């Protein structure tokens, strides 16, 4: 079924402790502004990012992805070559990890993607199928993938990029064997696999009104007329700074007028390198234009940027001499584009002298992020990050908390842990004895539990109480 435009349906996991980090600016009184996800929640808007599961090993990446976004999209982990590289042999580790991350951080999930001509395993792309055989292959893949995440992934790009830049259907294995009907067939298969999911088709270069987006408008009309379960359309938004279509809002509106949910699904706005202040200011205006276009149409449910930070953007590898396409730079610093999004969402859009960067801790003396990096049966792996927000370094630190009932720490790393009754004390090892002013230290441990793992109610760094994030 279609979702209500801009509805927020994320499940708030009981194990979350690392969400809603202060991400933004100081007002004239230097009070911290909220992160993007808080502002988006107030607008009932999805503010998402494409996330790569393997990069969650990076603490800055993981913290920023959790702090700034209320929605995540699998960057590559749900594509066909990743989940079913051989017939009937499925691999879920990367996809599962991101789903778990999203649930721990109270985020929605957009599934990307099920049927696409690219990033296909060779057994599909080069297969000599009859129509009946390919139909069965598609049905098995869609049913297995969506079935695994039924109730967890709310929206799906069922068919991705079926029309080329010439506004004609692509010469894919699906179109060659099944003709145009493969799109409607895929949608019906997806509806059967998860009747509650919202089903999209998705493409690039259809952000404004042009021949390609006209072809999609006609395709959407045709699918709806024949009763295909099409709920939404994704406008990817891979754009060039200073060259945005001026009719993005009108394009969104015409699809919304068909009764479709519209999302900006893969937004990045690249520039010719090197970066200059002038280019950053133009990029900020471009991001404002896209945000304003979505916010102006009630049927536009959200905006997702294609990556967490410029450091891991796909753009430089695909567009020679271009880059810096995202609102957060290589060093996890907020760019003018970040603040333009902040302002479009109703924030102050200002960067003050006391401002932490995106996903960074605020000015408290101690903040603790307690993340479950993996879980199974009656066990879990926990990573703890302690932020020192004070103006001076802390030597030979100790962090104390009360162990949740039914839990027992069995091993640890980057710390020495003492347990006395329910009281747990973590102290440094030789190489992390000091937490610098404004710095952090991370350590981990494995725990057993009865029932579900849970987050301690509070922490103390020496004699100071810490904020749990």
């Amino acid at each position: 079924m279609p979702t209500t435009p801009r509805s927020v349906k994320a499940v708030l996991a009981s194990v979350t402790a690392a969400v809603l980090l202060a991400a933004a600016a100081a007002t004239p009184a230097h009070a911290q502004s909220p992160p993007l996800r808080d502002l988006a929640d107030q607008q009932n808007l999805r503010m998402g990012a494409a996330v790569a599961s393997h990069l969650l090993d990076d603490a800055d990446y993981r913290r920023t992805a959790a702090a700034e976004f209320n929605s995540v999209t699998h960057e590559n982990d749900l594509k066909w070559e990743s989940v079913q590289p051989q017939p009937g042999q499925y691999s879920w580790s990367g996809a599962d990890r991101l789903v778990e991350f999203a649930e721990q951080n109270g985020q929605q999930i957009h599934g990307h993607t099920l049927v696409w001509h690219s990033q296909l395993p060779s057994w599909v792309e080069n297969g000599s199928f009859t129509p009946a055989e390919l139909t069965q292959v598609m049905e098995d893949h869609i049913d297995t993938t969506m079935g695994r995440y039924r109730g967890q992934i709310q929206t799906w790009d069922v068919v991705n990029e079926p029309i080329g830049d010439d506004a004609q259907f692509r010469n894919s294995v699906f179109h060659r064997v099944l003709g145009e009907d493969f799109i409607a067939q895929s949608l019906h298969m997806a509806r059967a696999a998860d009747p509650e999911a919202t089903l999209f088709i998705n493409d690039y270069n259809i952000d404004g009104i042009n021949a390609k987006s006209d072809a999609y408008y006609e395709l959407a009309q045709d699918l709806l007329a024949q009763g295909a379960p099409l709920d939404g359309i994704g406008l990817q938004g891979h754009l060039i700074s200073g060259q945005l279509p001026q009719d993005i809002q009108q394009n969104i509106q015409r699809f919304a007028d068909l009764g479709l949910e519209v999302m900006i699904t893969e937004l990045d706005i690249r520039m010719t390198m090197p970066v200059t202040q002038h280019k950053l200011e133009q990029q900020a205006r471009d991001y404002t234009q896209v945000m304003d276009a979505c916010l102006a149409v009630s049927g536009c449910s959200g905006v997702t940027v294609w990556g967490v930070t410029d450091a891991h953007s796909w753009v430089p590898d695909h567009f020679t001499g271009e880059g810096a396409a995202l609102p957060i730079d290589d060093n996890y610093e907020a760019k003018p584009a970040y603040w333009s999004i902040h302002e479009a969402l109703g924030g102050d859009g200002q960067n003050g002298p006391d401002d932490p960067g995106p996903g960074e801790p605020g000015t408290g003396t101690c903040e603790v992020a307690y993340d479950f990096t993996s879980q199974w049966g009656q066990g879990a792996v926990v990573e703890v990050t302690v932020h020192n927000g004070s103006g001076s370094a802390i030597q030979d630190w100790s962090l104390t908390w009360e162990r949740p009932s039914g839990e027992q720490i069995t091993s640890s790393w980057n710390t020495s842990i003492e347990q006395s009754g329910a009281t747990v004390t973590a102290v440094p090892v030789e190489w992390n004895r000091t937490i610098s002013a404004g710095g952090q230290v991370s350590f981990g441990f494995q725990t057993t539990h009865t029932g579900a793992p849970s987050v301690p109610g509070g922490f103390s760094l020496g004699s100071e109480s810490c904020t749990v994030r």
Side-chain angles (χ1 to χ4, degrees):
M1 296 172 60
T3 57
T4 301
R6 299 186 190 167
S7 64
V8 177
K9 297 169 60 180
V11 177
L12 297 177
S14 61
V15 297
T16 183
V19 300
L20 307 179
L21 307 181
T27 64
H30 304 318
Q32 294 170 30
S33 294
L36 298 180
R37 64 177 292 166
D38 282 11
L39 297 170
D41 283 345
Q42 294 168 17
Q43 298 278 354
N44 289 328
L45 191 79
R46 196 188 277 239
M47 186 70 228
V51 175
S53 64
H54 69 282
L55 294 176
L56 294 173
D57 292 330
D58 182 303
D60 289 331
Y61 183 93
R62 182 177 61 255
R63 186 166 52 252
T64 303
E68 293 296 336
F69 305 104
N70 61 15
S71 175
V72 297
T73 299
H74 292 76
E75 188 168 4
N76 287 297
D77 291 301
L78 271 176
K79 291 172 181 173
W80 199 317
E81 69 176 5
S82 298
V83 299
Q84 196 187 177
Q86 297 297 329
Q89 297 181 12
Y90 288 86
S91 175
W92 304 109
S93 57
D96 282 355
R97 185 178 186 188
L98 188 56
V99 169
E100 179 183 298
F101 172 82
E103 292 184 338
Q104 290 173 355
N105 291 288
Q107 295 164 311
Q108 297 182 87
I109 308 170
H110 183 66
H112 177 79
T113 178
L114 294 167
V115 177
W116 184 32
H117 69 277
S118 185
Q119 291 185 249
L120 279 174
S122 61
W123 70 269
V124 178
E125 185 173 9
N126 301 318
S128 299
F129 300 107
T130 66
E133 289 170 341
L134 184 56
T135 298
Q136 189 63 55
V137 165
M138 290 166 52
E139 187 169 15
D140 289 346
H141 182 77
I142 291 171
D143 185 64
T144 302
T145 305
M146 291 187 70
R148 183 177 183 85
Y149 300 111
R150 186 183 297 116
Q152 295 177 291
I153 296 182
Q154 299 84 14
T155 56
W156 285 90
D157 291 331
V158 177
V159 179
N160 194 49
E161 301 175 3
I163 294 177
D165 287 336
D166 59 0
Q168 303 298 313
F169 284 95
R170 287 185 183 276
N171 181 26
S172 68
V173 61
F174 306 107
H175 187 263
R176 287 195 303 272
V177 177
L178 299 172
E180 299 175 16
D181 288 345
F182 87 89
I183 301 173
Q185 288 177 276
S186 298
L187 292 166
H188 283 292
M189 292 170 186
R191 176 66 85 233
D194 185 353
E196 299 301 316
T198 304
L199 310 180
F200 283 73
I201 53 176
N202 184 60
D203 212 329
Y204 65 92
N205 286 351
I206 60 170
D207 315 287
I209 298 175
N210 55 39
K212 187 174 180 180
S213 64
D214 285 345
Y216 270 93
Y217 186 78
E218 294 173 5
L219 173 62
Q221 288 180 308
D222 181 59
L223 289 167
L224 294 171
Q226 64 180 274
L230 175 66
D231 301 321
I233 186 163
L235 315 181
Q236 290 185 12
H238 296 298
L239 301 169
I240 301 172
S241 186
Q243 301 181 36
L244 272 62
Q246 296 306 301
D247 49 11
I248 295 175
Q249 181 180 328
Q250 293 93 324
N251 193 44
I252 293 172
Q253 185 68 64
R254 68 171 176 164
F255 283 103
D257 288 344
L258 293 176
L260 297 176
E261 181 176 338
V262 183
M263 279 201 292
I264 310 298
T265 52
E266 305 182 18
L267 181 62
D268 49 38
I269 305 178
R270 62 189 185 270
M271 64 180 69
T272 302
M273 303 301 280
V275 174
T276 66
Q277 186 61 33
H278 173 75
K279 293 176 185 177
L280 291 173
E281 291 170 357
Q282 177 61 54
Q283 183 185 57
R285 290 190 291 271
D286 296 332
Y287 270 97
T288 295
Q289 180 183 336
V290 176
M291 294 299 301
D292 286 350
C294 180
L295 287 162
V297 180
S298 61
C300 186
S301 62
V303 175
T304 289
V305 293
W306 201 247
V308 173
T309 161
D310 284 338
H312 301 293
S313 169
W314 74 298
V315 169
D317 292 335
H318 290 80
F319 299 95
T320 303
E322 296 179 287
L326 294 168
I328 298 172
D329 73 10
D330 293 26
N331 298 313
Y332 293 89
E333 296 292 330
K335 294 157 66 175
Y338 174 95
W339 299 113
S340 71
I341 296 172
H342 197 272
E343 186 171 12
L345 291 171
D348 52 54
Q350 300 179 42
N351 183 5
D354 296 331
D355 166 57
E360 289 301 314
T363 57
T365 56
C366 171
E367 293 179 304
V368 173
Y370 192 93
D371 295 321
F372 294 95
T373 59
S374 64
Q375 298 178 53
W376 63 92
Q378 294 185 327
V381 173
V382 178
E383 180 177 85
V384 178
T385 302
V386 185
H387 303 275
N388 172 19
S390 71
S392 58
I394 300 174
Q395 299 285 342
D396 293 320
W397 53 272
S398 66
L399 186 74
T400 304
W401 67 92
E402 295 297 304
R403 186 179 65 234
S405 177
E407 295 193 13
Q408 182 71 36
I409 295 173
T410 58
S411 62
S412 63
W413 47 93
N414 296 332
T415 185
S416 177
I417 287 183
E418 301 174 1
Q419 302 179 73
S420 177
T423 301
V424 179
T425 302
V427 297
V429 291
E430 183 61 32
W431 57 85
N432 63 2
R433 292 175 54 192
T434 301
I435 311 177
S436 61
Q440 66 186 42
V441 66
S442 295
F443 60 88
F445 55 85
Q446 184 169 315
T447 180
T448 60
H449 57 81
T450 56
S454 56
V455 176
F459 298 82
S460 296
L461 186 62
S463 60
E464 297 291 329
S465 295
C466 300
T467 300
V468 182
R469 303 184 317 188

